[in-house]
Amino acid sequence: MIRIGVIGYGYWGPNLVRNFHETPGMQVACVSDLRPERLAVVQGRYPAVKLTVNHRELLEDPGIDAVAIATPVSTHFDLATAALRAGKQVFVEKPLAATGKQVERLIEAAGKVDRVLMVDHTFVYTGAVRKIRELVDSGSLGDIYYYDSTRVNLGLFQHDIDVIWDLAVHDLSIMDYVIPHRAVAVSATGFSHVTGGRENIAFLTLFFDDPLIAHIHVNWLAPVKIRRTLIGASKQMVVYDDLEQSEKIKIYDKGINIDRRRDPAEKIYEVLVGYRTGDMLSPRLDMKEALSVEAAHFVGCVKEHKQPISDGGAGLRVVQILEAASKSMRQRGIPIELPHQGRS
Amino acid sequence: MIRIGVIGYGYWGPNLVRNFHETPGMQVACVSDLRPERLAVVQGRYPAVKLTVNHRELLEDPGIDAVAIATPVSTHFDLATAALRAGKQVFVEKPLAATGKQVERLIEAAGKVDRVLMVDHTFVYTGAVRKIRELVDSGSLGDIYYYDSTRVNLGLFQHDIDVIWDLAVHDLSIMDYVIPHRAVAVSATGFSHVTGGRENIAFLTLFFDDPLIAHIHVNWLAPVKIRRTLIGASKQMVVYDDLEQSEKIKIYDKGINIDRRRDPAEKIYEVLVGYRTGDMLSPRLDMKEALSVEAAHFVGCVKEHKQPISDGGAGLRVVQILEAASKSMRQRGIPIELPHQGRS
Amino acid sequence: MIRIGVIGYGYWGPNLVRNFHETPGMQVACVSDLRPERLAVVQGRYPAVKLTVNHRELLEDPGIDAVAIATPVSTHFDLATAALRAGKQVFVEKPLAATGKQVERLIEAAGKVDRVLMVDHTFVYTGAVRKIRELVDSGSLGDIYYYDSTRVNLGLFQHDIDVIWDLAVHDLSIMDYVIPHRAVAVSATGFSHVTGGRENIAFLTLFFDDPLIAHIHVNWLAPVKIRRTLIGASKQMVVYDDLEQSEKIKIYDKGINIDRRRDPAEKIYEVLVGYRTGDMLSPRLDMKEALSVEAAHFVGCVKEHKQPISDGGAGLRVVQILEAASKSMRQRGIPIELPHQGRS
Amino acid sequence: MIRIGVIGYGYWGPNLVRNFHETPGMQVACVSDLRPERLAVVQGRYPAVKLTVNHRELLEDPGIDAVAIATPVSTHFDLATAALRAGKQVFVEKPLAATGKQVERLIEAAGKVDRVLMVDHTFVYTGAVRKIRELVDSGSLGDIYYYDSTRVNLGLFQHDIDVIWDLAVHDLSIMDYVIPHRAVAVSATGFSHVTGGRENIAFLTLFFDDPLIAHIHVNWLAPVKIRRTLIGASKQMVVYDDLEQSEKIKIYDKGINIDRRRDPAEKIYEVLVGYRTGDMLSPRLDMKEALSVEAAHFVGCVKEHKQPISDGGAGLRVVQILEAASKSMRQRGIPIELPHQGRS
């Protein structure tokens, strides 16, 4: 039985506590939050859980094996460092920390004490994203041509992070999981419509050494909600619409055929590109709640001493892109080179 | 009665001929095309129209008052110049020419002979786009925050122009018409998946001196067709979905309220941004075919000696952005300044 | 403070308990269920609530003011009668009872002890349905021409009631609330694809003395989920799609104009019917959970000694139609007259 | 070369003429219409076609091999009879005639002169409907449980026929083609909102000797357009949405499993019905225009002396159901037995 303490009971904390509470092999031992009124809510729902306004109590409690951190991004590094130093297994809300440097130090710290460091890249644990990974791995899509995601709605204007850190982080973590290539540079543009505020609309392009391009489109100020990703590839193409009730993934047997040998003459491209349209398949997906899959995975990693799917390395690659994107955005899209990113 | 000659009977030419044929005050006198088999098609449909494989015959015919050019972009400049020199009223397929310099010389040439020079920015003549212009002009949307368009499908890979010149030209012409601000710079990214071919996927961001950003997203290799534009603004927001049968325009009484005075304290943004949601209205639109409205407008401009809505100036602004975007795209999104563009 | 006991913690009971639990002025005092494992679930969630496998304990507890019944339909009458006799305020899952006669006796019993008898017609308390009622009452729709509802999906095959009693009951309760006319006869058809089972697909037509027709279409064996109601009327028409996230109600300024006087000639109908199309409006709706609104309404009715919106009379009219429909269905659609139904 | 004459150039005639005109092996020789202004339209489009206001001229012309009749239903019988007597091959707009008796006499007349009698059941020639037939025939759907179609929009109020004869005829002809069972009775309900007019909204239920039920839902006065058919079956289920651009057919690997042996106990149905959900497949369809496929089929039948798919027998079965449905509708849904219908 892993006894976990949760720091932060704001927007996401309640989801963590509910799922940890229902995960076999796990027990929510303590919740800390600076706001007594939030702790009162926990009390009403889980009378057996210990409560505190001081997270240090939680960290110092030897009966607690693991700590989940669901606080503002700027506090992730200090809290996760302290938890690792106290010998806890650590689960951190996305993004893992506020800078790539911080993430590197967390990875190092976790290695030193031989503890699990897992970042909450929730979407990676959905049936839809796991199905996409399966399709890519099986080779049935062929070569990936592009990854193009739109994630917009009328959302909460965060005041400590821009829309890239709030929303694009989801797309980057999904892409990191499903695409077997690493980006080498990023160009981003965006705008803040609240003077003095953070960018609330942004567009990122990721460049690769491979014949692949990625684009992410995020917006807190859209009149409608869109959660749609197109994946173009040489054999089949995928549309992933997270707002669809059951047909979240559609696989199109559609594309172009490029044949260079057929005509060596001058007007080369007219002959080269042939069009193909076929059936569309929407596969049945595992509809289990992602966070419950993820909590069980955390338990498994702790018990079996394994690297999680969303480990420090995944967290690092995502944060490095976020950092570079924000930098590019401040310079109207000038491309920023990314550190070399190997696959974890 | 304006007697018009049409050069080029490929993809778009038949639509021009059909609409000109049915426009009161206009008569299709001649069609030229290099391919005799295309002329045979004209003959079957319009037995009374004169046919020729030599467009010079058409230009030299004194009985012809106006010329429509529906040939590849690279030929627009020479053909339009020759037509103006022959004293014809000129209607040119979009984009008006292959470079901004060419467009400037066409505008000058048209001015010298006092003839109409009109570019076929078809969407500008649809009921949907005219409704958006009306909404912007009336002030009911408030300040425009962003213009964000997606225009993707499995489309013909052009071999003489990239996807920006083929598809984004539509969005730029619409934006030029409905948005009362002029872009000052553009950052674009894109990729060609056919080695040696033109970019088949591209993303453009336009910057303005005003608190406004625009983004255009085009793709010839998408598994689904999307034609959607979001317009964010301070009072109301618009979704324009051209694939909707009848509800192409939706106006959302939705957005944020920014109030600086309410709380001068430290945590300023949490207080500043309030959210507003209200009704959605989908106004009835004039469903007349755009090209028929446009043909009648051309007749009116010729008769009354007026500037068309889609005049040389509109054509110039659009081509200048296309040129800058292609240039930025070859440099992974480095922003390119645009020439100063006044409203025509 | 109203102390309520809930009998039955199966599919719907948990929703009742959760909402009663959070309703100001109400306290869930006791839950009874025949299955100890269901009571264990209650215990985990609401440690303070008293539990029993014997509902009589609950009925005899003088500390309990009100009783909610969420058990199979066949038990409603006995349980509600016992509760009223015990002097409790009574809230019963839909349909109120298994026959019209039973409902009449419940109404009488409630009258005798002067207690509230409320049936859980949940949809009547949604923002969407209340908006439709508002539109009808205001006269903005004009005369109602038809009410046409489709409620299908792959649903649980009930073994004690047919699909009419399970699904059409929702439509009948909505219609009873929004339409100011009472049906006089019903014709229903249906089929059971499980030999010996209850009908799993059914179609009801309701006839009125007014120029109005209603149709309800229910199915437990549909490959897709549809929850759509069309309301035709003389001035405006409404589409209510309960699966839409936010645009559940759309009001179309669309219809026909019938003018008899314009042309007294022979070809009369061509002239009579003119077509009208205008804007579509999707009004903002109150998105509060229906059951929470309903629970508060129950509290208010008990406190202020008032008839609920979904009172015994509403329950009676709905059950009378259900009975007649099942009867018609067994005779391949032969129309069955309904008892005269006054508006409550 | 088959030389065809077309009687009636109203709403549908132009589609017939255009498709016949473009069908290899066919030539439109003559068009007749009572209205000279309609003939003028033909002249503008097809200068070579002979025109007449007197259909007798067309029937008496020995150079004409075949006649297509696209006039009001009430005239079908007389015109088709005359055409057959004149030895013409005959193609008639749906429904084939105004009564079953008339259709029987037409079949007899065609047999006597050994000519083709084909009714224009257009949908039967679409790629979508042919795909459904293929699925049914292959056995991949299993046993058909129900056929449930909705065909509504704001449509033209016909003054000579009710909405069943105008719209349900399409569903009946599709069903006749794809379902290998024959209905034995029909119950229909409907209403006319124009005093003295024909029913503008109607609902039909068809009964079979097999464990199958069909329902058709038609309406001229709907605020939105719906063209959707659900086909329930034991192995797979189909949704056919004719308004979808490319995904008109969706095949759901979904349903129930009925197993009687698993539990012989009392509470039998809870155990009997198991639920199955799997993938959804949307097959690529032949997108050729139905009328062009149909025209080619007519040519083939004439040349090879074969029965068309939509022959007199299909026309008869459809008209017999239409007649019975209108009769049932006038009696509020009383079921009407159908004549015994063998498969042609």
Side-chain angles (χ1 to χ4, degrees):
Chain A
M1 180 64 64
I2 294 166
R3 292 168 48 84
I4 196 165
V6 177
I7 305 179
Y9 200 76
Y11 169 70
W12 195 244
N15 293 327
L16 292 181
V17 172
R18 176 170 52 80
N19 277 282
F20 290 158
H21 183 72
E22 293 170 1
T23 298
M26 207 166 200
Q27 188 193 329
V28 179
C30 182
V31 171
S32 88
D33 197 290
L34 300 172
R35 299 157 293 185
E37 71 275 18
R38 295 303 300 158
L39 296 179
V41 175
V42 183
Q43 173 115 63
R45 292 178 187 164
Y46 311 93
V49 169
K50 207 181 126 189
L51 305 173
T52 174
V53 292
N54 185 351
H55 69 272
R56 273 178 210 92
E57 264 184 51
L58 185 156
L59 293 179
E60 287 160 9
D61 183 340
I64 287 179
D65 310 299
V67 168
I69 297 164
T71 55
V73 181
S74 58
T75 65
H76 285 187
F77 175 70
D78 287 346
L79 289 171
T81 302
L84 287 168
R85 281 188 186 152
K88 311 298 188 198
Q89 314 282 353
V90 173
F91 180 99
V92 187
E93 245 315 277
K94 56 89 198 167
L96 184 39
T99 66
K101 286 263 175 287
Q102 289 183 349
V103 178
E104 283 169 353
R105 286 168 61 192
L106 286 179
I107 293 173
E108 202 185 354
K112 223 175 270 174
V113 296
D114 198 19
R115 288 294 181 276
V116 168
L117 172 66
M118 178 162 163
V119 57
D120 180 10
H121 287 172
T122 318
F123 279 95
V124 159
Y125 300 92
T126 58
V129 171
R130 284 182 291 143
K131 173 60 73 180
I132 297 174
R133 168 75 184 254
E134 212 180 294
L135 290 168
V136 170
D137 282 0
S138 74
S140 69
L141 301 184
D143 301 324
I144 310 298
Y145 284 163
Y146 62 83
Y147 183 97
D148 170 8
S149 184
T150 303
R151 187 176 297 272
V152 309
N153 62 299
L154 186 60
L156 187 66
F157 277 57
Q158 308 277 354
H159 63 277
D160 59 333
I161 50 172
D162 63 42
V163 71
I164 293 182
W165 287 75
D166 181 42
L167 294 183
V169 63
H170 289 302
D171 300 293
L172 292 171
S173 66
I174 296 170
M175 225 175 69
D176 184 76
Y177 178 61
V178 301
I179 300 285
H181 303 286
R182 298 286 157 240
V184 297
V186 59
S187 162
T189 55
F191 204 81
S192 169
H193 292 98
V194 177
T195 315
R198 306 278 181 149
E199 284 82 357
N200 50 270
I201 181 169
F203 310 97
L204 278 74
T205 300
L206 293 166
F207 304 100
F208 296 77
D209 282 337
D210 311 84
L212 169 64
I213 191 165
H215 189 261
I216 297 169
H217 182 152
V218 285
N219 186 352
W220 281 333
L221 187 56
V224 288
K225 188 171 184 174
I226 307 175
R227 295 278 181 274
R228 181 161 48 188
T229 302
L230 310 183
I231 301 178
S234 59
K235 290 188 191 156
Q236 290 191 308
M237 302 204 272
V238 173
V239 176
Y240 162 33
D241 186 341
D242 202 45
L243 301 185
E244 281 277 337
Q245 203 56 35
S246 57
E247 298 164 20
K248 287 180 190 292
I249 299 284
K250 292 182 176 169
I251 308 166
Y252 290 86
D253 197 1
K254 222 176 183 180
I256 53 164
N257 296 317
I258 305 170
D259 186 357
R260 238 150 251 294
R261 280 155 305 176
R262 254 194 281 162
D263 181 7
E266 219 177 355
K267 276 199 175 179
I268 190 155
Y269 302 116
E270 283 189 337
V271 216
L272 280 174
V273 179
Y275 300 89
R276 212 166 18 81
T277 61
D279 298 347
M280 178 270 275
L281 179 81
S282 181
R284 195 175 69 91
L285 301 176
D286 181 355
M287 298 302 280
K288 219 177 292 167
E289 187 176 356
L291 213 39
S292 122
V293 175
E294 193 176 357
H297 180 63
F298 182 61
V299 170
C301 289
V302 167
K303 280 192 178 160
E304 298 165 37
H305 228 77
K306 287 196 314 189
Q307 277 297 87
I309 290 171
S310 52
D311 63 358
L316 177 61
R317 290 187 300 271
V318 167
V319 168
Q320 284 173 338
I321 298 176
L322 293 173
E323 270 192 295
S326 287
K327 193 169 162 195
S328 172
M329 186 162 56
R330 287 190 299 267
Q331 301 172 75
R332 291 193 157 180
I334 283 184
I336 304 291
E337 300 292 315
L338 291 167
H340 177 77
Q341 302 191 327
R343 184 129 203 183
S344 70
Chain B
M1 180 64 64
I2 294 166
R3 292 167 49 87
I4 195 165
V6 177
I7 305 180
Y9 199 76
Y11 170 69
W12 196 242
N15 293 327
L16 293 181
V17 172
R18 177 171 52 79
N19 277 282
F20 290 159
H21 183 72
E22 293 169 1
T23 298
M26 205 168 201
Q27 187 193 331
V28 179
C30 183
V31 171
S32 88
D33 197 290
L34 299 171
R35 298 156 296 183
E37 70 274 17
R38 294 303 299 160
L39 295 179
V41 175
V42 183
Q43 173 117 64
R45 292 181 188 162
Y46 310 94
V49 169
K50 207 182 128 188
L51 306 172
T52 175
V53 292
N54 184 350
H55 70 270
R56 270 175 215 94
E57 264 184 51
L58 186 155
L59 293 179
E60 288 161 8
D61 184 341
I64 288 178
D65 310 299
V67 167
I69 297 166
T71 57
V73 181
S74 58
T75 66
H76 286 186
F77 175 69
D78 287 347
L79 289 171
T81 302
L84 288 168
R85 280 186 189 154
K88 311 298 186 195
Q89 315 282 350
V90 173
F91 180 99
V92 186
E93 248 312 279
K94 57 88 198 163
L96 184 40
T99 66
K101 286 264 173 288
Q102 288 183 349
V103 177
E104 283 169 352
R105 286 167 60 191
L106 286 181
I107 293 173
E108 198 183 357
K112 221 175 272 175
V113 296
D114 198 19
R115 288 295 180 277
V116 168
L117 173 66
M118 177 164 165
V119 56
D120 181 10
H121 288 173
T122 318
F123 279 95
V124 159
Y125 299 92
T126 59
V129 172
R130 283 181 290 143
K131 173 60 73 177
I132 297 174
R133 167 77 184 252
E134 212 181 293
L135 290 168
V136 171
D137 283 358
S138 74
S140 68
L141 302 184
D143 300 325
I144 309 299
Y145 283 164
Y146 62 82
Y147 183 97
D148 170 8
S149 183
T150 302
R151 187 178 296 271
V152 310
N153 62 299
L154 186 60
L156 186 68
F157 276 58
Q158 308 278 354
H159 63 276
D160 57 332
I161 50 172
D162 64 42
V163 70
I164 293 181
W165 286 74
D166 183 42
L167 294 184
V169 63
H170 289 303
D171 300 294
L172 292 171
S173 66
I174 295 170
M175 225 175 70
D176 184 75
Y177 178 62
V178 301
I179 301 286
H181 304 285
R182 299 288 156 235
V184 297
V186 60
S187 162
T189 55
F191 203 81
S192 169
H193 291 100
V194 176
T195 317
R198 307 280 181 145
E199 285 82 357
N200 51 270
I201 182 170
F203 310 97
L204 278 74
T205 300
L206 294 167
F207 304 101
F208 296 77
D209 283 335
D210 311 85
L212 169 64
I213 190 166
H215 188 260
I216 298 169
H217 181 153
V218 285
N219 186 352
W220 282 332
L221 189 55
V224 288
K225 189 171 184 175
I226 307 174
R227 294 277 181 275
R228 182 160 47 188
T229 302
L230 310 183
I231 301 177
S234 59
K235 291 190 191 158
Q236 292 189 308
M237 301 204 272
V238 173
V239 176
Y240 161 34
D241 186 339
D242 201 44
L243 300 185
E244 282 277 337
Q245 204 54 38
S246 55
E247 297 164 21
K248 286 178 191 292
I249 298 285
K250 292 182 177 168
I251 308 165
Y252 291 84
D253 196 0
K254 220 176 182 179
I256 53 165
N257 296 318
I258 305 171
D259 185 356
R260 239 150 249 293
R261 280 155 305 176
R262 254 193 281 161
D263 181 5
E266 219 176 356
K267 277 199 177 179
I268 190 155
Y269 303 116
E270 283 188 337
V271 216
L272 279 175
V273 178
Y275 300 89
R276 210 163 22 79
T277 61
D279 298 346
M280 178 271 277
L281 178 81
S282 181
R284 196 173 68 92
L285 301 176
D286 180 354
M287 299 301 280
K288 219 177 290 167
E289 186 176 356
L291 212 40
S292 120
V293 175
E294 193 177 358
H297 180 63
F298 181 61
V299 170
C301 290
V302 167
K303 280 195 181 159
E304 298 164 37
H305 227 79
K306 287 198 310 192
Q307 277 297 87
I309 291 172
S310 52
D311 63 358
L316 176 62
R317 291 187 299 269
V318 166
V319 168
Q320 283 172 338
I321 297 175
L322 293 172
E323 271 193 296
S326 288
K327 194 172 163 191
S328 172
M329 184 162 59
R330 288 189 300 265
Q331 301 173 73
R332 291 192 155 181
I334 283 184
I336 304 292
E337 300 292 317
L338 291 166
H340 178 76
Q341 304 190 325
R343 184 130 205 181
S344 69
Chain C
M1 180 66 62
I2 294 166
R3 291 169 48 85
I4 195 164
V6 177
I7 306 180
Y9 200 75
Y11 169 70
W12 195 243
N15 294 326
L16 292 181
V17 173
R18 176 169 53 77
N19 277 282
F20 290 158
H21 184 72
E22 293 169 1
T23 298
M26 206 167 201
Q27 187 192 331
V28 178
C30 183
V31 171
S32 88
D33 197 291
L34 299 172
R35 298 157 296 186
E37 69 274 18
R38 295 302 301 159
L39 295 178
V41 175
V42 183
Q43 172 116 61
R45 293 181 187 160
Y46 311 94
V49 170
K50 206 180 127 191
L51 306 172
T52 175
V53 292
N54 184 351
H55 70 272
R56 272 175 212 92
E57 265 186 50
L58 187 155
L59 293 179
E60 288 160 8
D61 184 339
I64 287 179
D65 311 300
V67 167
I69 297 165
T71 55
V73 182
S74 57
T75 66
H76 285 186
F77 175 70
D78 286 346
L79 289 171
T81 302
L84 287 168
R85 281 187 188 154
K88 311 299 187 197
Q89 314 281 353
V90 174
F91 180 100
V92 186
E93 247 313 276
K94 58 87 196 166
L96 184 40
T99 66
K101 286 263 174 285
Q102 288 184 348
V103 177
E104 283 169 354
R105 287 168 59 190
L106 286 179
I107 293 173
E108 202 184 354
K112 224 175 271 174
V113 297
D114 199 18
R115 288 296 180 275
V116 168
L117 172 65
M118 177 162 164
V119 57
D120 181 10
H121 287 172
T122 320
F123 278 96
V124 159
Y125 299 93
T126 58
V129 172
R130 284 183 289 144
K131 173 59 73 177
I132 296 174
R133 167 77 183 251
E134 209 180 295
L135 290 168
V136 171
D137 283 358
S138 74
S140 68
L141 301 184
D143 300 325
I144 310 297
Y145 284 163
Y146 62 83
Y147 183 97
D148 169 6
S149 183
T150 303
R151 185 176 299 271
V152 309
N153 61 298
L154 187 59
L156 187 66
F157 276 58
Q158 307 278 354
H159 64 276
D160 58 333
I161 50 171
D162 63 42
V163 70
I164 292 181
W165 286 75
D166 182 41
L167 295 183
V169 63
H170 290 302
D171 300 294
L172 292 171
S173 67
I174 295 170
M175 225 175 67
D176 184 75
Y177 178 61
V178 302
I179 300 284
H181 304 285
R182 300 285 156 237
V184 297
V186 61
S187 162
T189 55
F191 204 82
S192 168
H193 291 98
V194 177
T195 315
R198 307 279 181 148
E199 284 83 356
N200 51 270
I201 181 168
F203 309 98
L204 279 74
T205 300
L206 294 167
F207 304 100
F208 296 77
D209 283 336
D210 312 83
L212 169 64
I213 191 166
H215 188 261
I216 298 170
H217 181 152
V218 286
N219 186 351
W220 281 333
L221 188 57
V224 287
K225 188 172 185 175
I226 307 175
R227 295 277 180 273
R228 181 162 48 189
T229 303
L230 310 183
I231 302 177
S234 60
K235 290 190 192 156
Q236 291 190 310
M237 301 203 271
V238 173
V239 176
Y240 161 34
D241 185 340
D242 201 44
L243 301 184
E244 281 277 337
Q245 204 54 37
S246 55
E247 297 164 21
K248 286 179 191 292
I249 299 285
K250 292 181 177 170
I251 308 165
Y252 291 85
D253 196 0
K254 221 174 182 179
I256 53 164
N257 296 318
I258 305 171
D259 186 355
R260 238 150 250 293
R261 282 156 303 177
R262 251 193 283 161
D263 181 6
E266 220 176 353
K267 276 198 176 181
I268 190 156
Y269 301 116
E270 284 189 336
V271 216
L272 279 175
V273 179
Y275 299 89
R276 216 169 11 85
T277 61
D279 299 347
M280 179 271 276
L281 178 82
S282 181
R284 195 173 69 90
L285 301 177
D286 181 354
M287 298 302 280
K288 221 178 288 167
E289 187 175 356
L291 212 40
S292 121
V293 175
E294 194 177 356
H297 180 63
F298 182 61
V299 170
C301 290
V302 167
K303 281 194 179 159
E304 297 164 39
H305 228 76
K306 287 196 312 189
Q307 276 299 86
I309 290 171
S310 51
D311 63 358
L316 177 61
R317 290 187 299 271
V318 166
V319 168
Q320 285 172 337
I321 297 175
L322 293 173
E323 270 192 296
S326 288
K327 194 171 162 193
S328 173
M329 184 159 61
R330 287 190 299 267
Q331 301 173 73
R332 290 193 158 181
I334 282 184
I336 304 292
E337 300 292 316
L338 291 166
H340 178 76
Q341 304 191 324
R343 184 130 205 179
S344 70
Chain D
M1 180 64 65
I2 295 166
R3 292 169 48 87
I4 194 164
V6 177
I7 305 179
Y9 199 76
Y11 170 69
W12 195 242
N15 293 326
L16 293 181
V17 172
R18 177 169 52 78
N19 277 280
F20 290 158
H21 184 71
E22 292 169 2
T23 297
M26 205 168 200
Q27 189 192 329
V28 179
C30 183
V31 171
S32 87
D33 197 290
L34 299 171
R35 299 157 294 184
E37 70 276 16
R38 295 303 299 160
L39 296 179
V41 175
V42 183
Q43 172 117 59
R45 293 181 188 162
Y46 310 94
V49 170
K50 207 181 126 188
L51 306 172
T52 174
V53 291
N54 184 351
H55 69 272
R56 274 178 210 92
E57 265 185 51
L58 186 156
L59 294 178
E60 288 161 9
D61 184 341
I64 288 179
D65 310 300
V67 168
I69 297 165
T71 55
V73 181
S74 56
T75 66
H76 286 185
F77 175 70
D78 287 345
L79 289 171
T81 303
L84 288 167
R85 281 187 187 155
K88 311 301 187 194
Q89 314 283 352
V90 173
F91 180 100
V92 186
E93 247 314 276
K94 56 88 195 165
L96 183 40
T99 67
K101 285 265 175 286
Q102 288 184 346
V103 177
E104 283 168 354
R105 286 167 63 190
L106 286 180
I107 293 172
E108 200 184 354
K112 222 174 274 174
V113 295
D114 199 19
R115 288 295 181 276
V116 168
L117 172 66
M118 178 163 165
V119 56
D120 180 10
H121 287 171
T122 318
F123 279 96
V124 159
Y125 300 92
T126 58
V129 171
R130 284 182 289 144
K131 172 61 74 181
I132 296 174
R133 166 78 184 250
E134 211 180 294
L135 291 167
V136 171
D137 283 359
S138 74
S140 68
L141 301 184
D143 300 324
I144 309 297
Y145 284 163
Y146 61 83
Y147 183 97
D148 169 7
S149 184
T150 302
R151 187 177 297 272
V152 309
N153 62 298
L154 186 60
L156 187 67
F157 276 58
Q158 307 278 353
H159 63 276
D160 57 333
I161 51 172
D162 64 41
V163 70
I164 293 181
W165 286 75
D166 182 42
L167 295 183
V169 63
H170 290 302
D171 299 293
L172 292 171
S173 66
I174 295 170
M175 226 176 68
D176 184 76
Y177 178 62
V178 301
I179 300 285
H181 304 286
R182 299 286 156 238
V184 296
V186 60
S187 163
T189 55
F191 204 81
S192 168
H193 291 99
V194 176
T195 315
R198 307 278 181 148
E199 286 82 358
N200 50 270
I201 181 168
F203 310 98
L204 278 74
T205 299
L206 294 166
F207 304 101
F208 296 77
D209 283 335
D210 311 84
L212 169 64
I213 191 167
H215 189 261
I216 298 170
H217 181 152
V218 285
N219 186 352
W220 282 331
L221 188 55
V224 288
K225 188 173 185 173
I226 306 176
R227 294 277 180 275
R228 181 160 49 186
T229 302
L230 310 182
I231 300 177
S234 60
K235 292 190 190 157
Q236 290 190 310
M237 300 204 272
V238 173
V239 177
Y240 161 33
D241 186 341
D242 202 45
L243 300 185
E244 281 277 336
Q245 203 57 34
S246 55
E247 297 164 20
K248 286 179 191 294
I249 299 285
K250 292 182 176 170
I251 308 165
Y252 290 86
D253 197 359
K254 220 174 183 179
I256 54 164
N257 296 318
I258 306 170
D259 187 356
R260 239 151 249 295
R261 282 156 305 177
R262 253 193 284 162
D263 181 5
E266 221 176 355
K267 274 198 177 180
I268 191 156
Y269 304 115
E270 282 188 339
V271 216
L272 279 175
V273 179
Y275 300 89
R276 212 165 18 81
T277 61
D279 298 347
M280 179 272 277
L281 178 80
S282 181
R284 194 173 70 90
L285 301 176
D286 181 355
M287 299 301 280
K288 220 177 289 168
E289 186 176 356
L291 212 38
S292 120
V293 175
E294 194 177 358
H297 181 64
F298 181 62
V299 170
C301 290
V302 167
K303 281 193 179 159
E304 299 164 35
H305 228 77
K306 287 196 312 190
Q307 276 299 87
I309 291 172
S310 51
D311 63 358
L316 177 61
R317 291 188 298 271
V318 166
V319 168
Q320 284 173 338
I321 298 176
L322 293 173
E323 270 192 295
S326 288
K327 196 172 159 191
S328 172
M329 184 160 58
R330 287 189 300 266
Q331 301 172 74
R332 289 192 158 180
I334 284 185
I336 304 292
E337 299 292 315
L338 291 167
H340 177 76
Q341 304 191 325
R343 184 132 203 181
S344 70

